[in-house]
């Protein structure tokens, strides 16, 4: 018997392993196994198929271990993985790596051990650092730990040199990341119904009143004597809280009356108490929209809910989820940002109680594995709210998928592979389960809205805000004019400062938006023009004042801010531009006594920090919230009257056919945070080009006008939805080799695809983390077979693989770039 195993690696094939006789009859498709790959590495693999065909011409290794008695993925999941790998031009192994929580993928890690310190030769500085680190840690460390401790990049050449000298030894060990949660239970050493044995136990406790009471308490808690009722397990913690002391319990264990059992429990098991759903009553407009959606689902499985910001789409979602659960099905609620799960969780928990599960990357491995196991272990009606990774959960009876803010670019995975779009993948997942899909947005993506106009998707419009609130007034401020007339004092224009002053005096709140974190994006020597740049990437470093560090937002490289210019020695070094950190500092100074918070990647490193910032702002412990795009995405705050956009130009001036769409969507969404209750809101957008057509559409809240303008431009220049785009990225550590490989590949691709091939050219940032980049664009007709495209691209790659310029070259594909 042989098994085809999917490995979590970028391999374009499964690998065949022999099934040992001890595992025959136990393996199934979807079972997790431990296998050796290469000479030393061990990986968790997944059984795809079983067969009796012995591979010819190569040695077949045996499966080392069976990790589960039952499959850990369902059949539709494997189908989804295959579709993702075919459509997004990657391997199934890469999909597996993204899909499974780390806790379900034990694999070997490299450990370094001190072998012989008696005869240390003359060591280099780096080698001495490694030896010192190992000595401090009792002579054994992971490679990743040594790199972190010594701050040496690419540590393996140093370790290899020490290994050749016999100073260190290297070995592999399989590391299990998942730790199950266990609880102690008190169990009686009797078969249920053995009354003679029970009388014997009472005889043993006759001389101890406390032990006799303990036996009676256990019988009462467990229901052991109650006929016709299931015996209940008794937690040790609850037993001791019931008045039994640890000494008494130990005495009863020593007499053989009780034993302690450790039982694995799921961190997300439902609590026993019943939860009453409390659905809010829908307004007339919301009820009408809900009824239209249900009617649409009878004819089209995918429907778009186009609702204004603040129109109450979430309440409609809640009613549809409730209907789905009542029918015995499961629901998936996708949101683009983890910050959104934080606010929505409280709202949905009040309605669905413990039928609600939350799943995203900020949870620990243990928590994510337990959610996975709970869904895998049953078919109970549940609703899962999560970011894009929740698509991969093992749903049994998926009946409804909701994709909120479906236009968001955050649904697109960029690195590493698979580079999938969660919105589009959600529609495929739903079709595999026969589930309905509801896409929701105030500013739908051009592709989605186009499909509604073509009749492929249903369309329901919600054109009035909840509780009669009106859309905010939008003011476009010409910053060139403000500076000429010296009306602005610092970053904030006079109209924005006045609007914030007025709102705060009325006990209301404000949001200030700038889609750039850090303190200042540019540091420049005013004498010679020197600018600090990243050592690994083709970008300048961003100054973070809080840590006094210069940081690269691409690779994470950091360095201290120099006090004097390394080029000319001058101390006249200035910062230019502004990120959220600098804006928050200025607002602190201009609004004395007001509480200012910041929400960006630097202040939200864990799931609790999201919660704290949002809760403090919602409860008015904070007056002004400064943030990046996180503050624009679906957050609902009752007291926000003013929203300010510091620099709209940075959203629109990109060499990308989607830049107008991203700019319109983001500005419209952030504007929608204002005036979401009775108080009319105000939005102030600062720009040096206030007459830009995109800004005019935003100011007029005119999505239809924007869409008509954009779709005509897309059709004229042949961009999606009228074509399908695949970007091919070529990476190499040497710039000339990257250029040569890109030119050669483009020539070969033109022989196959003709004028559909554009490029090669350097991307906007042409070097990232020491890799030089080139891009080739394939612009193809819609309806093309991605399976066939993948086959042709693979053939081109294999033809070129033997060429000198392909050594060390990496190639990957981005389908439907966001």
């Amino acid at each position: 018997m042989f098994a085809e195993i999917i490995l979590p690696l970028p391999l374009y094939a499964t690998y065949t392993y022999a099934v040992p006789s001890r595992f025959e009859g136990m393996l199934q498709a979807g079972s997790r196994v431990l296998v050796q790959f290469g000479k030393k590495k061990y990986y968790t693999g997944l059984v795809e198929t079983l067969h009796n065909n012995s591979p010819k011409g190569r040695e077949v290794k045996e499966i080392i271990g069976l990790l589960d008695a039952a499959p850990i993925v369902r059949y539709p999941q494997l189908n989804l993985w295959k579709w993702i790998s075919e459509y997004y031009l990657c391997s199934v192994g890469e999909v597996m790596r993204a899909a499974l929580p780390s806790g379900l993928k034990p694999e070997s890690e490299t450990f370094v051990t001190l072998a012989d310190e008696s005869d240390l030769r003359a060591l280099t500085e780096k080698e001495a650092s490694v030896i010192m680190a190992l000595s401090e840690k009792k002579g054994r460390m992971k490679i990743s730990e040594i790199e972190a401790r010594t701050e040496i990049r690419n540590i393996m050449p140093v370790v290899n040199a020490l290994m050749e000298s016999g100073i260190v030894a290297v070995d592999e060990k399989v590391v299990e990341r998942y730790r199950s949660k266990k609880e102690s239970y008190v169990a009686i050493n009797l078969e249920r119904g053995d009354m003679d044995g029970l009388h014997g136990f009472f005889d043993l406790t006759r001389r101890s009143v406390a032990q006799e009471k303990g036996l009676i308490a256990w019988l009462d808690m467990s229901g052991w004597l109650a006929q016709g009722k299931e015996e209940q397990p008794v937690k040790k913690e609850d037993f001791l809280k019931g008045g039994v002391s640890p000494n008494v319990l130990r005495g009863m264990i020593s007499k053989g009356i009780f034993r302690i059992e450790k039982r694995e429990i799921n961190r997300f098991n439902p609590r026993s108490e019943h939860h009453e759903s409390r659905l809010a009553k829908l307004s007339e407009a919301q009820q009408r929209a809900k009824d239209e959606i249900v009617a649409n689902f009878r004819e089209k499985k995918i429907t778009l809910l186009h609702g204004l910001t603040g129109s109450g789409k979430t309440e409609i979602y809640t009613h549809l989820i409730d209907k789905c659960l009542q029918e015995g099905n499961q629901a998936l609620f996708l949101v683009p940002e983890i910050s959104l799960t934080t606010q929505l969780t409280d709202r949905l928990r009040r309605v669905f109680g413990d039928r609600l599960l939350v799943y995203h990357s900020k949870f620990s491995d243990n928590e994510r594995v337990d959610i996975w196991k709970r869904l895998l272990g049953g078919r109970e009606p549940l609703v899962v709210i999560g970011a894009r990774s929740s698509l991969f959960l093992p749903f049994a009876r998926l009946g409804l998928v909701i994709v909120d803010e479906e236009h968001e670019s955050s649904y697109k995975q960029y690195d590493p592979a698979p580079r999938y779009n969660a919105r589009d993948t959600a529609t495929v997942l739903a079709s595999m389960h026969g589930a309905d899909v509801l896409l929701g947005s105030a500013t739908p993506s051009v592709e989605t809205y186009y499909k509604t106009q073509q009749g492929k998707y249903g369309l329901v419009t919600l054109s009035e805000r909840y509780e009669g609130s009106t859309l905010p007034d939008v003011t476009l401020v010409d910053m060139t004019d403000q500076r000429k007339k010296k009306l602005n004092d610092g970053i904030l224009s006079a109209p924005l400062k006045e609007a914030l002053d007025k709102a705060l005096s009325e006990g209301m709140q404000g949001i200030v938006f700038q889609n750039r974190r850090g303190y200042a994006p540019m540091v420049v020597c005013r004498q010679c023009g020197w600018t600090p740049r990243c050592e690994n990437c083709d970008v300048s470093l961003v100054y973070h004042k809080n840590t006094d560090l210069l940081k690269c937002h691409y690779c994470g490289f950091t360095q201290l801010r120099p006090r004097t210019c390394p080029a000319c020695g001058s101390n006249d070094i200035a910062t230019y531009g502004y990120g959220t950190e600098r804006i928050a500092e200025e607002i602190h100074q201009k609004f004395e006594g007001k509480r200012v918070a910041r929400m960006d990647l630097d202040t939200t490193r864990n799931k609790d920090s999201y919660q704290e910032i949002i809760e403090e702002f919602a409860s008015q412990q904070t007056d002004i919230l400064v943030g990046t795009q996180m503050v624009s995405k679906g957050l609902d705050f009752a007291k926000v009257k003013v929203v300010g956009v510091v620099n709209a130009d940075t959203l629109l001036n990109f060499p990308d056919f989607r830049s107008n769409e991203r700019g319109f969507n983001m500005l419209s969404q952030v504007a929608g945070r204002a005036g979401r209750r009775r108080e009319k809101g105000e939005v102030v957008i600062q720009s040096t080009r206030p007459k830009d057509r995109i800004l005019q559409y935003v100011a007029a809240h005119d999505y239809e006008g924007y869409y008509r303008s954009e779709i005509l431009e897309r059709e004229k220049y042949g961009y999606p939805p009228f074509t399908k785009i695949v970007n091919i990225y070529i990476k190499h550590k040497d710039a000339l080799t990257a250029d040569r490989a890109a030119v050669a590949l483009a020539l070969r691709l033109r022989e196959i695809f003709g004028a559909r091939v554009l490029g090669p050219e350097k991307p906007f940032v042409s070097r990232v983390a020491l890799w030089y980049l080139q891009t080739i664009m394939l612009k193809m007709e819609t309806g093309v077979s991605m399976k066939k495209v993948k086959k042709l691209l693979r053939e081109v790659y294999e033809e070129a693989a033997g060429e000198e310029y392909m050594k060390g070259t990496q190639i990957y594909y981005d389908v439907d770039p966001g």
Side-chain angles (χ1 to χ4, degrees):
M1 178 71 72
F2 298 92
E4 294 301 318
I5 305 296
I6 302 170
L7 293 168
L9 299 167
L11 306 169
Y12 283 86
T14 56
Y15 270 70
T16 308
Y17 286 84
V19 180
S21 57
R22 66 184 183 278
F23 295 148
E24 285 190 15
M26 300 167 67
L27 286 181
Q28 303 174 54
S31 292
R32 238 177 8 137
V33 293
L34 187 68
V35 295
Q36 183 181 356
F37 185 75
K39 290 184 178 179
K40 294 182 178 180
K41 282 286 185 180
Y42 299 89
Y43 291 98
T44 298
L46 212 67
V47 177
E48 184 187 58
T49 55
L50 296 165
H51 59 82
N52 292 309
N53 303 319
S54 177
K56 299 286 190 295
R58 66 181 178 88
E59 181 190 352
V60 180
K61 294 174 182 173
E62 281 195 342
I63 292 170
I64 294 169
L66 175 61
L67 299 178
D68 303 285
I72 56 119
V73 297
R74 299 182 188 274
Y75 180 71
Q77 283 177 282
L78 288 174
N79 278 347
L80 183 69
W81 293 7
K82 289 175 186 173
W83 178 84
I84 291 173
S85 74
E86 286 181 1
Y87 187 83
Y88 291 106
L89 307 179
C90 61
S91 70
V92 179
E94 288 170 313
V95 182
M96 173 190 170
R97 194 165 194 87
L100 292 181
S102 296
L104 290 177
K105 300 192 297 276
E107 58 187 55
S108 62
E109 287 192 7
T110 305
F111 284 81
V112 181
T113 310
L114 272 177
D116 184 8
E117 291 182 89
S118 61
D119 186 24
L120 292 180
R121 57 181 171 78
L123 299 176
T124 67
E125 184 182 342
K126 288 183 178 180
E127 289 171 344
S129 296
V130 171
I131 298 300
M132 190 180 297
L134 286 167
S135 299
E136 289 172 0
K137 285 287 184 176
K138 298 182 179 177
R140 183 177 172 84
M141 292 175 76
K142 297 178 191 175
I143 286 287
S144 55
E145 291 173 338
I146 298 174
E147 284 184 338
R149 186 90 172 182
T150 61
E151 297 183 350
I152 299 172
R153 295 189 192 90
N154 191 18
I155 199 84
M156 282 312 295
V158 183
V159 172
N160 287 338
L162 290 169
M163 190 169 60
E164 287 172 9
S165 302
I167 299 170
V168 302
V170 175
D171 64 289
E172 296 284 322
K173 180 183 176 184
V174 176
V175 177
E176 174 68 78
R177 293 181 179 87
Y178 174 63
R179 295 289 180 269
S180 60
K181 186 177 180 181
K182 293 182 178 179
E183 287 189 346
S184 297
Y185 288 82
V186 180
I188 197 166
N189 290 317
L190 279 180
E191 289 290 329
R192 192 176 184 187
D194 183 358
M195 299 308 294
D196 291 339
L198 183 61
H199 288 306
F201 282 172
F202 273 110
D203 289 340
L204 288 173
T205 62
R206 186 169 294 156
R207 293 185 179 182
S208 172
V209 175
Q211 288 185 1
E212 187 176 59
K213 284 182 178 178
L215 182 54
I216 293 169
W218 187 92
L219 292 168
D220 183 52
M221 292 173 75
S222 66
W224 194 84
L225 292 172
Q227 293 184 355
K229 289 186 178 180
E230 188 177 345
E231 181 183 341
Q232 297 299 312
V234 178
K235 283 186 188 178
K236 180 182 176 182
E237 181 185 4
D238 295 340
F239 189 56
L240 295 175
K241 282 180 182 176
V244 180
S245 72
N247 285 335
V248 170
L249 177 58
R250 278 194 291 271
M252 298 179 79
I253 292 170
S254 66
K255 289 180 178 179
I257 298 171
F258 291 137
R259 66 181 183 275
I260 300 298
E261 292 181 351
K262 290 275 188 182
R263 299 186 188 179
E264 184 177 324
I265 65 163
N266 193 294
R267 291 171 175 83
F268 295 92
N269 270 337
R271 292 190 285 271
S272 56
E273 63 264 24
H274 181 67
H275 182 90
E276 289 289 343
S277 295
R278 296 196 302 276
L279 283 169
K281 192 173 187 303
L282 296 179
S283 68
E284 187 178 326
Q286 287 173 320
Q287 185 62 49
R288 187 166 57 249
K290 183 210 162 191
D291 293 341
E292 285 182 39
I293 291 166
V294 172
N296 262 303
F297 282 155
R298 296 191 191 105
E299 297 179 12
K300 296 182 173 76
K301 299 298 283 183
I302 304 173
T303 292
L304 169 67
L305 174 59
H306 181 199
L308 295 177
T309 55
S311 58
K313 294 187 288 294
T314 303
E315 290 303 335
I316 297 173
Y317 299 155
T318 306
H319 280 254
L320 291 169
I321 291 168
D322 186 66
K323 179 177 179 292
C324 174
L325 299 185
Q326 286 183 25
E327 292 168 353
N329 293 322
Q330 296 166 336
L332 172 61
F333 191 157
L334 279 179
V335 293
E337 286 279 359
I338 295 168
S339 57
L340 277 183
T341 66
T342 301
Q343 196 176 46
L344 282 170
T345 296
D346 293 338
R347 293 174 68 174
L348 296 180
R349 185 79 70 195
R350 288 194 290 270
V351 178
F352 302 113
D354 295 301
R355 293 180 295 170
L356 175 71
L357 298 177
V358 185
Y359 188 88
H360 55 66
S361 60
K362 293 291 184 181
F363 280 110
S364 69
D365 284 340
N366 292 336
E367 289 171 319
R368 280 186 284 168
V369 171
D370 278 347
I371 292 174
W372 187 286
K373 287 185 172 182
R374 180 170 172 190
L375 280 163
L376 188 67
R379 302 171 68 85
E380 59 184 315
L382 293 167
V383 53
V384 175
I385 180 172
R388 57 178 180 250
S389 58
S390 55
L391 276 171
F392 297 114
L393 286 167
F395 295 100
R397 298 188 59 181
L398 191 61
L400 175 67
V401 176
I402 294 171
V403 185
D404 193 27
E405 311 294 352
E406 65 83 26
H407 63 276
E408 274 292 346
S409 59
S410 302
Y411 282 124
K412 175 71 173 176
Q413 162 76 11
Y414 291 100
D415 274 314
R419 296 170 179 85
Y420 66 101
N421 187 303
R423 175 199 63 207
D424 300 337
T425 305
T427 63
V428 175
L429 171 70
S431 70
M432 289 177 173
H433 286 267
D436 298 321
V437 180
L438 181 63
L439 309 174
S441 177
T443 55
S445 67
V446 170
E447 284 96 326
T448 296
Y449 202 74
Y450 178 76
K451 286 174 182 174
T452 68
Q453 303 304 295
Q454 298 298 303
K456 293 180 181 178
Y457 291 176
L459 175 63
V460 175
T461 303
L462 189 57
S463 55
E464 60 183 69
R465 278 188 148 192
Y466 187 63
E467 292 185 340
S469 64
T470 56
L471 288 168
D473 294 327
V474 178
T475 303
L476 299 174
V477 178
D478 187 340
M479 292 305 290
T480 304
D481 186 58
Q482 286 273 307
R483 290 179 187 122
K484 277 181 184 176
K485 296 177 180 178
K486 297 183 179 179
L487 295 173
N488 67 307
D489 178 21
I491 296 167
L492 304 186
S493 63
L496 177 53
K497 187 174 182 303
E498 288 166 13
L500 286 169
D501 267 327
K502 187 171 184 293
L504 296 174
S505 68
E506 295 171 355
M508 304 297 283
Q509 295 169 292
I511 290 176
V512 177
F513 168 76
Q514 167 72 342
N515 202 32
R516 180 173 278 160
R517 61 190 174 98
Y519 186 82
M522 287 288 290
V523 175
V524 179
C525 172
R526 285 197 278 211
Q527 294 298 317
C528 71
W530 170 84
T531 298
R533 300 187 69 80
C534 177
E535 290 183 0
N536 310 316
C537 308
D538 189 20
V539 292
S540 57
L541 297 175
V542 177
Y543 179 52
H544 289 249
K545 188 175 181 181
N546 188 43
T547 54
D548 199 31
L549 289 174
L550 296 168
K551 293 184 181 180
C552 173
H553 289 175
Y554 283 82
C555 73
F557 171 80
T558 61
Q559 70 178 51
L560 286 170
R561 183 193 179 195
R563 297 291 172 252
T564 58
C565 174
C568 70
S570 167
N571 64 355
D572 191 9
I573 296 176
T575 57
Y576 292 95
Y578 34 82
T580 49
E581 188 182 351
R582 187 171 192 167
I583 294 167
E585 181 183 270
E586 181 168 312
I587 290 173
H588 263 297
Q589 295 166 356
K590 291 193 182 306
F591 298 91
E592 286 186 25
K594 299 302 179 183
R595 297 153 299 187
V596 181
R598 182 160 55 97
M599 188 160 81
D600 56 30
L601 192 62
D602 298 321
T603 62
T604 54
R605 292 293 180 185
N606 59 61
K607 67 177 190 281
D608 295 328
S609 53
Y610 281 107
Q611 186 83 24
E612 289 165 12
I613 293 168
I614 288 169
E615 284 181 356
E616 286 175 4
F617 193 64
S619 61
Q620 288 192 276
Q621 295 176 53
T622 307
D623 298 305
I624 300 174
L625 181 63
V626 179
T628 56
Q629 58 182 325
M630 292 178 184
V631 301
S632 72
K633 298 179 180 180
L635 297 172
D636 183 29
F637 301 113
K639 291 287 187 178
V640 173
K641 187 174 181 180
V642 173
V643 167
V645 177
V646 172
N647 188 357
D649 301 343
T650 58
L651 300 173
L652 303 172
N653 301 328
F654 277 96
D656 179 0
F657 77 94
R658 291 193 194 274
S659 64
N660 283 344
E661 180 178 10
R662 277 196 295 266
F664 176 84
N665 289 348
M666 201 174 292
L667 291 170
S668 297
Q669 290 290 334
V670 76
R673 301 315 106 205
R676 294 173 71 90
R677 298 296 185 271
R678 296 287 181 184
E679 289 280 343
K680 188 176 180 67
E682 185 177 354
V683 180
V684 180
I685 299 176
Q686 300 180 173
S687 171
T688 58
R689 298 175 8 187
K691 292 184 179 178
D692 185 282
R693 67 182 176 90
I694 299 300
L695 296 181
Q696 294 295 322
Y697 288 131
V698 171
H701 304 290
D702 184 8
Y703 175 81
E704 291 287 343
Y706 155 74
Y707 170 77
R708 288 193 296 271
S709 166
E710 188 69 16
I711 203 71
L712 286 173
E713 198 163 282
R714 297 275 186 97
E715 186 173 24
K716 180 180 178 181
Y717 294 106
Y719 281 107
F722 302 100
T723 56
K724 181 174 289 295
I725 288 178
V726 177
N727 282 338
I728 304 170
Y729 287 85
I730 299 97
K731 296 170 59 175
H732 200 282
K733 292 289 180 74
D734 177 68
L736 290 176
T737 306
D739 294 349
R740 189 180 170 200
V743 170
L745 282 171
L747 288 172
R748 181 68 185 100
L749 288 169
R750 280 196 179 89
E751 293 175 12
I752 300 170
F753 295 101
R756 301 177 185 88
V757 180
L758 303 174
E761 65 177 6
K762 291 180 180 179
F764 186 65
V765 178
S766 60
R767 185 174 67 116
V768 175
L770 298 175
W771 291 91
Y772 291 90
L773 303 177
Q774 287 278 352
T775 60
I776 300 169
M777 178 187 284
L778 281 184
K779 191 189 281 189
M780 298 174 295
E781 301 83 353
T782 56
V784 69
S785 166
M786 293 308 293
K787 189 173 183 178
K788 187 174 181 181
V789 170
K790 183 179 183 180
K791 183 174 180 290
L792 291 169
L793 289 173
R794 189 68 192 163
E795 287 173 0
V796 170
Y797 175 79
E798 286 172 354
E799 283 175 18
E803 300 291 340
E804 185 66 28
Y805 60 78
M806 286 300 289
K807 290 179 181 177
T809 301
Q810 292 186 11
I811 296 175
Y812 63 89
Y813 310 96
D814 187 8
V815 180
D816 300 336

